[in-house]
Amino acid sequence: MYSLICKSSHHITSSIRASPTHSLCFLQTHLFSSSLSSTDHTPNQHSFTVNYLVNACGFPLEKALSASKYTNFETPNKPDSVLEFFGNHGFTKTQVSKLIRGSPPVLLCNPEKTLLPKIDFLKSKGVSSKDVIKILSTGPTILRRSLENQIIPSFDLLKKLIQSEEKTIAAIKRFPGLLLFDLDTCLLPNIEILREAGVPDANIVVLLTYQPRAFMTSCDKFRESVEKVEEMGFNPLRSKFVLAVHALRAMSKLKWEKKVEAYKKWGWSEDEILVAFGKHPWCMTWSEDKIARVMDFFVNNMGWESSLVANRPVLMSLSFEKRIVPRCAVYQALFSKGLIKKTDISLVKMLESRESWFLEKVVNGYEEEAPKLLKLYKEKLALAN
């Protein structure tokens, strides 16, 4: 934390002291220690706006200079009232900083007339205060869009398509940008492309609810992804069809090729990769780093054949730190004590099973023979956290 008085920007601190909400700005100034180096070297010729963004909102100097080109003010009164508004509605200083960095012009909004109605609308639809904060921190531009002309019509259209207010909120939480797009031109045509391909509405709703970003592209690019999935032989009546569409939509051709190469390094053939993608499309969405870490662990630490993972690609989607490492540690402990044999219980089953089953059948099931097993498991989970 750094001193409240910024020697290099004396004129802004003087102005903030005169502000009715000076205490909030002082707290903000104390908060953003990351801006210390910037303020120490900020020359006096920088505008009031730049100094305010750095000192009160935690902007890096370069971003503050850029933002000041389209967000400008000469006194702290209006931005102070905005920061105070968010603080009063449960936003942490970190969340406020993220929100303002994402949309600096929000500092010029009228809290009661422009900001509050958006918050009240979301809460009226059953969105919790915690989720309202998450939505607006992730999609701050929502606060500057028309409630009547953009936000409410978008929400109503989504609810009509998904046919559930709860699932509509879930989709918005995953991608707040749904409330910003012209859904008539970017969402509905892509939904129609899926229908033309024979995808049931129920599966379209699943994709829209859990992966809404998949629809946010041009019709040409979306149709191209759908056609590729058809060429791969996916059944449009199965949910894997829309998952495959999402997976292809989430990456460029270059990224796809990099994932292919990452698996080939472990001996997978192109046919095995396509078969694995057909079984579990998510296996192609992970980073090359995760692919390397998981494959290295299974092959070099657990002694598996690479083809075993290719046959069970769902294993690639398990959390490396929270699932694979802790459960394999338990398995190895039991195996080393001679309490289980490779034929007694499948490690794959141990990895894929629910937490309740794993604790009951494996960890607690050998409590007498291996009393420290639960401690080992918890220690590995603690490392992940």
Side-chain angles (χ1 to χ4, degrees):
M1 296 302 170
Y2 61 95
S3 172
L4 179 62
I5 301 176
C6 299
K7 297 179 180 179
S8 60
S9 53
H10 177 74
H11 64 286
I12 187 172
T13 54
S14 297
S15 298
I16 293 176
R17 288 193 190 97
S19 168
T21 54
H22 66 280
S23 59
L24 176 67
C25 287
F26 284 2
L27 289 173
Q28 295 287 340
T29 304
H30 275 293
L31 169 70
F32 299 115
S33 58
S34 62
S35 64
L36 175 60
S37 59
S38 295
T39 55
D40 279 350
H41 301 287
T42 301
N44 289 329
Q45 67 263 26
H46 285 317
S47 69
F48 180 92
T49 301
V50 170
N51 284 320
Y52 189 96
L53 293 174
V54 170
N55 294 320
C57 303
F59 276 54
L61 178 57
E62 184 178 350
K63 186 168 178 60
L65 288 168
S66 175
S68 68
K69 295 176 183 178
Y70 56 91
T71 304
N72 190 52
F73 43 89
E74 297 298 332
T75 68
N77 295 343
K78 182 168 285 188
D80 274 7
S81 68
V82 170
L83 296 182
E84 183 179 32
F85 172 84
F86 287 127
N88 291 341
H89 282 81
F91 287 74
T92 66
K93 296 177 180 66
T94 300
Q95 289 166 335
V96 172
S97 177
K98 179 182 178 181
L99 188 155
I100 300 301
R101 289 198 214 185
S103 184
V106 167
L107 284 172
L108 303 179
C109 291
N110 184 304
E112 299 301 320
K113 293 182 179 179
T114 304
L115 305 181
L116 182 60
K118 284 43 176 294
I119 291 178
D120 286 345
F121 171 75
L122 291 172
K123 288 184 176 180
S124 74
K125 297 301 180 181
V127 184
S128 67
S129 296
K130 182 179 179 181
D131 285 334
V132 167
I133 291 171
K134 286 183 178 180
I135 289 171
L136 296 180
S137 297
T138 305
T141 307
I142 293 171
L143 291 165
R144 296 167 48 219
R145 301 300 290 271
S146 169
L147 182 63
E148 292 76 16
N149 298 327
Q150 176 65 46
I151 297 173
I152 292 177
S154 293
F155 186 95
D156 290 344
L157 177 56
L158 285 170
K159 182 181 175 182
K160 181 179 179 181
L161 291 169
I162 298 176
Q163 297 186 352
S164 163
E165 193 162 90
E166 183 179 355
K167 290 182 178 179
T168 299
I169 292 170
I172 293 170
K173 284 165 60 177
R174 287 183 172 86
F175 182 49
L178 284 171
L179 296 178
L180 301 174
F181 283 88
D182 181 355
L183 302 183
D184 287 321
T185 59
C186 68
L187 175 62
L188 296 184
N190 289 337
I191 286 178
E192 194 56 36
I193 290 173
L194 288 176
R195 286 173 174 163
E196 291 172 358
V199 178
D201 281 355
N203 291 351
I204 294 174
V205 168
V206 169
L207 184 62
L208 181 57
T209 303
Y210 295 102
Q211 300 298 335
R213 284 180 181 270
F215 292 94
M216 300 299 111
T217 186
S218 68
C219 293
D220 289 341
K221 289 184 178 180
F222 192 82
R223 188 183 300 278
E224 182 182 350
S225 296
V226 171
E227 290 175 349
K228 284 182 180 178
V229 170
E230 289 176 318
E231 291 170 5
M232 290 178 176
F234 282 85
N235 184 345
L237 299 177
R238 302 284 299 275
S239 60
K240 287 180 181 177
F241 187 96
V242 293
L243 294 180
V245 170
H246 164 65
L248 290 181
R249 273 282 304 112
M251 71 186 86
S252 64
K253 181 180 179 181
L254 179 60
K255 284 186 178 180
W256 172 272
E257 291 173 351
K258 286 183 177 180
K259 307 293 176 65
V260 169
E261 289 304 314
Y263 282 116
K264 280 186 175 181
K265 288 179 181 178
W266 294 96
W268 292 26
S269 67
E270 289 194 7
D271 285 342
E272 283 180 314
I273 293 171
L274 289 176
V275 170
F277 182 67
K279 290 180 178 179
H280 187 67
W282 292 113
C283 71
M284 294 300 289
T285 63
W286 307 118
S287 68
E288 296 98 289
D289 177 65
K290 179 177 182 180
I291 293 172
R293 279 193 302 151
V294 173
M295 291 301 300
D296 178 68
F297 184 85
F298 282 141
V299 174
N300 295 323
N301 286 61
M302 303 306 298
W304 284 8
E305 293 292 331
S306 175
S307 58
L308 191 154
V309 186
N311 289 328
R312 299 293 299 180
V314 68
L315 294 170
M316 297 301 304
S317 292
L318 302 178
S319 170
F320 182 71
E321 294 83 4
K322 296 181 180 180
R323 177 72 71 92
I324 295 175
V325 171
R327 294 195 181 189
C328 283
V330 169
Y331 178 87
Q332 288 176 318
L334 291 172
F335 187 76
S336 66
K337 292 177 181 294
L339 296 175
I340 60 171
K341 298 178 181 179
K342 291 184 178 180
T343 54
D344 290 339
I345 183 170
S346 166
L347 176 54
V348 172
K349 180 176 176 60
M350 286 175 57
L351 289 170
E352 295 180 356
S353 64
R354 297 190 305 273
E355 181 75 359
S356 58
W357 183 93
F358 180 76
L359 288 173
E360 179 185 352
K361 299 295 184 181
V362 182
V363 178
N364 297 331
Y366 292 90
E367 186 175 6
E368 291 186 8
E369 300 91 335
K372 294 183 179 180
L373 207 57
L374 180 60
K375 180 183 178 182
L376 170 66
Y377 183 59
K378 287 184 175 181
E379 285 175 350
K380 294 297 182 181
L381 287 177
L383 288 176
N385 294 325

